[in-house]
PDB file of all heavy atoms in Angstrom:
ATOM      1  N   GLY B 176      16.844  10.983   6.804  1.00 82.00           N
ATOM      2  CA  GLY B 176      17.754  11.394   5.701  1.00 82.00           C
ATOM      3  C   GLY B 176      18.013  10.252   4.761  1.00 82.00           C
ATOM      4  O   GLY B 176      19.023  10.225   4.069  1.00 82.00           O
ATOM      5  N   SER B 177      17.138   9.259   4.726  1.00 82.00           N
ATOM      6  CA  SER B 177      17.358   8.130   3.794  1.00 82.00           C
ATOM      7  C   SER B 177      16.038   7.408   3.544  1.00 82.00           C
ATOM      8  O   SER B 177      15.106   7.470   4.336  1.00 82.00           O
ATOM      9  CB  SER B 177      18.322   7.129   4.465  1.00 82.00           C
ATOM     10  OG  SER B 177      18.354   5.933   3.713  1.00 82.00           O
ATOM     11  N   MET B 178      15.956   6.747   2.380  1.00 84.00           N
ATOM     12  CA  MET B 178      14.786   5.966   2.076  1.00 84.00           C
ATOM     13  C   MET B 178      15.045   4.494   2.321  1.00 84.00           C
ATOM     14  O   MET B 178      14.171   3.671   2.039  1.00 84.00           O
ATOM     15  CB  MET B 178      14.405   6.140   0.610  1.00 84.00           C
ATOM     16  CG  MET B 178      13.868   7.483   0.297  1.00 84.00           C
ATOM     17  SD  MET B 178      12.900   7.438  -1.170  1.00 84.00           S
ATOM     18  CE  MET B 178      13.007   9.113  -1.675  1.00 84.00           C
ATOM     19  N   ASN B 179      16.219   4.165   2.799  1.00 85.00           N
ATOM     20  CA  ASN B 179      16.565   2.795   3.096  1.00 85.00           C
ATOM     21  C   ASN B 179      15.983   2.404   4.460  1.00 85.00           C
ATOM     22  O   ASN B 179      16.231   3.084   5.460  1.00 85.00           O
ATOM     23  CB  ASN B 179      18.057   2.616   3.089  1.00 85.00           C
ATOM     24  CG  ASN B 179      18.508   1.207   3.233  1.00 85.00           C
ATOM     25  OD1 ASN B 179      17.940   0.471   4.013  1.00 85.00           O
ATOM     26  ND2 ASN B 179      19.475   0.824   2.438  1.00 85.00           N
ATOM     27  N   LEU B 180      15.167   1.341   4.512  1.00 86.00           N
ATOM     28  CA  LEU B 180      14.501   0.994   5.734  1.00 86.00           C
ATOM     29  C   LEU B 180      15.477   0.624   6.870  1.00 86.00           C
ATOM     30  O   LEU B 180      15.280   0.998   8.002  1.00 86.00           O
ATOM     31  CB  LEU B 180      13.504  -0.165   5.501  1.00 86.00           C
ATOM     32  CG  LEU B 180      12.252   0.206   4.696  1.00 86.00           C
ATOM     33  CD1 LEU B 180      11.546  -1.020   4.258  1.00 86.00           C
ATOM     34  CD2 LEU B 180      11.376   1.047   5.561  1.00 86.00           C
ATOM     35  N   ALA B 181      16.567  -0.047   6.487  1.00 85.00           N
ATOM     36  CA  ALA B 181      17.550  -0.411   7.523  1.00 85.00           C
ATOM     37  C   ALA B 181      18.191   0.838   8.097  1.00 85.00           C
ATOM     38  O   ALA B 181      18.395   0.929   9.302  1.00 85.00           O
ATOM     39  CB  ALA B 181      18.602  -1.344   6.906  1.00 85.00           C
ATOM     40  N   THR B 182      18.493   1.833   7.247  1.00 85.00           N
ATOM     41  CA  THR B 182      19.062   3.077   7.744  1.00 85.00           C
ATOM     42  C   THR B 182      18.083   3.795   8.662  1.00 85.00           C
ATOM     43  O   THR B 182      18.477   4.394   9.659  1.00 85.00           O
ATOM     44  CB  THR B 182      19.436   3.994   6.565  1.00 85.00           C
ATOM     45  OG1 THR B 182      20.054   3.189   5.550  1.00 85.00           O
ATOM     46  CG2 THR B 182      20.371   5.061   6.990  1.00 85.00           C
ATOM     47  N   ILE B 183      16.797   3.765   8.300  1.00 86.00           N
ATOM     48  CA  ILE B 183      15.790   4.405   9.153  1.00 86.00           C
ATOM     49  C   ILE B 183      15.754   3.758  10.501  1.00 86.00           C
ATOM     50  O   ILE B 183      15.692   4.456  11.545  1.00 86.00           O
ATOM     51  CB  ILE B 183      14.400   4.332   8.456  1.00 86.00           C
ATOM     52  CG1 ILE B 183      14.352   5.243   7.240  1.00 86.00           C
ATOM     53  CG2 ILE B 183      13.292   4.715   9.418  1.00 86.00           C
ATOM     54  CD1 ILE B 183      13.086   5.156   6.464  1.00 86.00           C
ATOM     55  N   VAL B 184      15.841   2.417  10.567  1.00 85.00           N
ATOM     56  CA  VAL B 184      15.856   1.763  11.845  1.00 85.00           C
ATOM     57  C   VAL B 184      17.143   2.106  12.606  1.00 85.00           C
ATOM     58  O   VAL B 184      17.115   2.368  13.807  1.00 85.00           O
ATOM     59  CB  VAL B 184      15.700   0.219  11.663  1.00 85.00           C
ATOM     60  CG1 VAL B 184      15.768  -0.454  12.999  1.00 85.00           C
ATOM     61  CG2 VAL B 184      14.394  -0.095  10.992  1.00 85.00           C
ATOM     62  N   GLU B 185      18.285   2.103  11.871  1.00 83.00           N
ATOM     63  CA  GLU B 185      19.562   2.423  12.531  1.00 83.00           C
ATOM     64  C   GLU B 185      19.512   3.800  13.183  1.00 83.00           C
ATOM     65  O   GLU B 185      20.076   4.035  14.234  1.00 83.00           O
ATOM     66  CB  GLU B 185      20.716   2.396  11.522  1.00 83.00           C
ATOM     67  CG  GLU B 185      21.368   1.062  11.204  1.00 83.00           C
ATOM     68  CD  GLU B 185      21.686   0.276  12.451  1.00 83.00           C
ATOM     69  OE1 GLU B 185      21.953   0.862  13.530  1.00 83.00           O
ATOM     70  OE2 GLU B 185      21.671  -0.970  12.386  1.00 83.00           O
ATOM     71  N   ALA B 186      18.801   4.740  12.493  1.00 82.00           N
ATOM     72  CA  ALA B 186      18.746   6.111  12.989  1.00 82.00           C
ATOM     73  C   ALA B 186      17.977   6.211  14.334  1.00 82.00           C
ATOM     74  O   ALA B 186      18.037   7.225  14.988  1.00 82.00           O
ATOM     75  CB  ALA B 186      18.094   7.019  11.980  1.00 82.00           C
ATOM     76  N   GLN B 187      17.260   5.121  14.696  1.00 82.00           N
ATOM     77  CA  GLN B 187      16.505   5.155  15.951  1.00 82.00           C
ATOM     78  C   GLN B 187      17.188   4.334  17.039  1.00 82.00           C
ATOM     79  O   GLN B 187      16.529   3.875  17.971  1.00 82.00           O
ATOM     80  CB  GLN B 187      15.085   4.637  15.728  1.00 82.00           C
ATOM     81  CG  GLN B 187      14.368   5.347  14.602  1.00 82.00           C
ATOM     82  CD  GLN B 187      13.033   4.749  14.315  1.00 82.00           C
ATOM     83  OE1 GLN B 187      12.199   4.619  15.187  1.00 82.00           O
ATOM     84  NE2 GLN B 187      12.808   4.412  13.062  1.00 82.00           N
ATOM     85  N   THR B 188      18.508   4.167  16.921  1.00 81.00           N
ATOM     86  CA  THR B 188      19.214   3.356  17.892  1.00 81.00           C
ATOM     87  C   THR B 188      19.085   3.979  19.318  1.00 81.00           C
ATOM     88  O   THR B 188      18.954   5.203  19.441  1.00 81.00           O
ATOM     89  CB  THR B 188      20.721   3.343  17.535  1.00 81.00           C
ATOM     90  OG1 THR B 188      20.833   3.062  16.141  1.00 81.00           O
ATOM     91  CG2 THR B 188      21.484   2.287  18.327  1.00 81.00           C
ATOM     92  N   GLY B 189      19.158   3.121  20.316  1.00 76.00           N
ATOM     93  CA  GLY B 189      19.035   3.580  21.667  1.00 76.00           C
ATOM     94  C   GLY B 189      17.664   3.154  22.226  1.00 76.00           C
ATOM     95  O   GLY B 189      17.002   2.346  21.645  1.00 76.00           O
ATOM     96  N   GLY B 190      17.294   3.729  23.323  1.00 77.00           N
ATOM     97  CA  GLY B 190      16.022   3.358  23.965  1.00 77.00           C
ATOM     98  C   GLY B 190      14.844   3.921  23.244  1.00 77.00           C
ATOM     99  O   GLY B 190      14.970   4.502  22.179  1.00 77.00           O
ATOM    100  N   PHE B 191      13.689   3.751  23.867  1.00 78.00           N
ATOM    101  CA  PHE B 191      12.440   4.174  23.180  1.00 78.00           C
ATOM    102  C   PHE B 191      12.405   5.700  23.040  1.00 78.00           C
ATOM    103  O   PHE B 191      11.656   6.244  22.238  1.00 78.00           O
ATOM    104  CB  PHE B 191      11.200   3.693  23.919  1.00 78.00           C
ATOM    105  CG  PHE B 191      10.979   4.331  25.260  1.00 78.00           C
ATOM    106  CD1 PHE B 191      10.262   5.486  25.351  1.00 78.00           C
ATOM    107  CD2 PHE B 191      11.512   3.750  26.419  1.00 78.00           C
ATOM    108  CE1 PHE B 191      10.058   6.083  26.580  1.00 78.00           C
ATOM    109  CE2 PHE B 191      11.304   4.341  27.639  1.00 78.00           C
ATOM    110  CZ  PHE B 191      10.599   5.504  27.731  1.00 78.00           C
ATOM    111  N   TRP B 192      13.234   6.439  23.840  1.00 78.00           N
ATOM    112  CA  TRP B 192      13.248   7.891  23.702  1.00 78.00           C
ATOM    113  C   TRP B 192      13.939   8.315  22.396  1.00 78.00           C
ATOM    114  O   TRP B 192      13.938   9.492  22.113  1.00 78.00           O
ATOM    115  CB  TRP B 192      13.934   8.521  24.919  1.00 78.00           C
ATOM    116  CG  TRP B 192      15.294   7.935  25.217  1.00 78.00           C
ATOM    117  CD1 TRP B 192      16.470   8.403  24.741  1.00 78.00           C
ATOM    118  CD2 TRP B 192      15.584   6.812  26.024  1.00 78.00           C
ATOM    119  NE1 TRP B 192      17.501   7.599  25.210  1.00 78.00           N
ATOM    120  CE2 TRP B 192      16.980   6.624  25.979  1.00 78.00           C
ATOM    121  CE3 TRP B 192      14.783   5.917  26.765  1.00 78.00           C
ATOM    122  CZ2 TRP B 192      17.629   5.582  26.684  1.00 78.00           C
ATOM    123  CZ3 TRP B 192      15.445   4.883  27.445  1.00 78.00           C
ATOM    124  CH2 TRP B 192      16.807   4.737  27.403  1.00 78.00           C
ATOM    125  N   ASN B 193      14.525   7.364  21.680  1.00 78.00           N
ATOM    126  CA  ASN B 193      15.101   7.720  20.404  1.00 78.00           C
ATOM    127  C   ASN B 193      14.234   7.260  19.230  1.00 78.00           C
ATOM    128  O   ASN B 193      14.568   7.527  18.081  1.00 78.00           O
ATOM    129  CB  ASN B 193      16.500   7.068  20.248  1.00 78.00           C
ATOM    130  CG  ASN B 193      17.546   7.896  20.923  1.00 78.00           C
ATOM    131  OD1 ASN B 193      17.422   9.123  20.972  1.00 78.00           O
ATOM    132  ND2 ASN B 193      18.568   7.237  21.410  1.00 78.00           N
ATOM    133  N   TRP B 194      13.144   6.574  19.511  1.00 82.00           N
ATOM    134  CA  TRP B 194      12.275   6.184  18.418  1.00 82.00           C
ATOM    135  C   TRP B 194      11.572   7.399  17.899  1.00 82.00           C
ATOM    136  O   TRP B 194      11.273   8.323  18.655  1.00 82.00           O
ATOM    137  CB  TRP B 194      11.218   5.157  18.913  1.00 82.00           C
ATOM    138  CG  TRP B 194      11.818   3.895  19.423  1.00 82.00           C
ATOM    139  CD1 TRP B 194      13.119   3.531  19.323  1.00 82.00           C
ATOM    140  CD2 TRP B 194      11.135   2.857  20.094  1.00 82.00           C
ATOM    141  NE1 TRP B 194      13.290   2.301  19.895  1.00 82.00           N
ATOM    142  CE2 TRP B 194      12.080   1.849  20.369  1.00 82.00           C
ATOM    143  CE3 TRP B 194       9.810   2.650  20.467  1.00 82.00           C
ATOM    144  CZ2 TRP B 194      11.778   0.675  21.048  1.00 82.00           C
ATOM    145  CZ3 TRP B 194       9.487   1.491  21.135  1.00 82.00           C
ATOM    146  CH2 TRP B 194      10.461   0.505  21.387  1.00 82.00           C
ATOM    147  N   TYR B 195      11.222   7.379  16.608  1.00 81.00           N
ATOM    148  CA  TYR B 195      10.673   8.590  16.021  1.00 81.00           C
ATOM    149  C   TYR B 195       9.329   8.969  16.614  1.00 81.00           C
ATOM    150  O   TYR B 195       8.945  10.142  16.644  1.00 81.00           O
ATOM    151  CB  TYR B 195      10.537   8.423  14.510  1.00 81.00           C
ATOM    152  CG  TYR B 195      11.876   8.621  13.798  1.00 81.00           C
ATOM    153  CD1 TYR B 195      12.233   7.858  12.722  1.00 81.00           C
ATOM    154  CD2 TYR B 195      12.763   9.543  14.294  1.00 81.00           C
ATOM    155  CE1 TYR B 195      13.449   8.017  12.115  1.00 81.00           C
ATOM    156  CE2 TYR B 195      14.017   9.712  13.682  1.00 81.00           C
ATOM    157  CZ  TYR B 195      14.332   8.923  12.601  1.00 81.00           C
ATOM    158  OH  TYR B 195      15.527   9.107  12.015  1.00 81.00           O
TER     159      TYR B 195
END
Side-chain angles (χ1 to χ4, degrees):
Chain B
S177 169
M178 290 201 204
N179 187 317
L180 287 167
T182 318
I183 289 176
V184 178
E185 274 314 330
Q187 306 175 54
T188 314
F191 69 88
W192 53 91
N193 277 330
W194 297 353
Y195 282 143

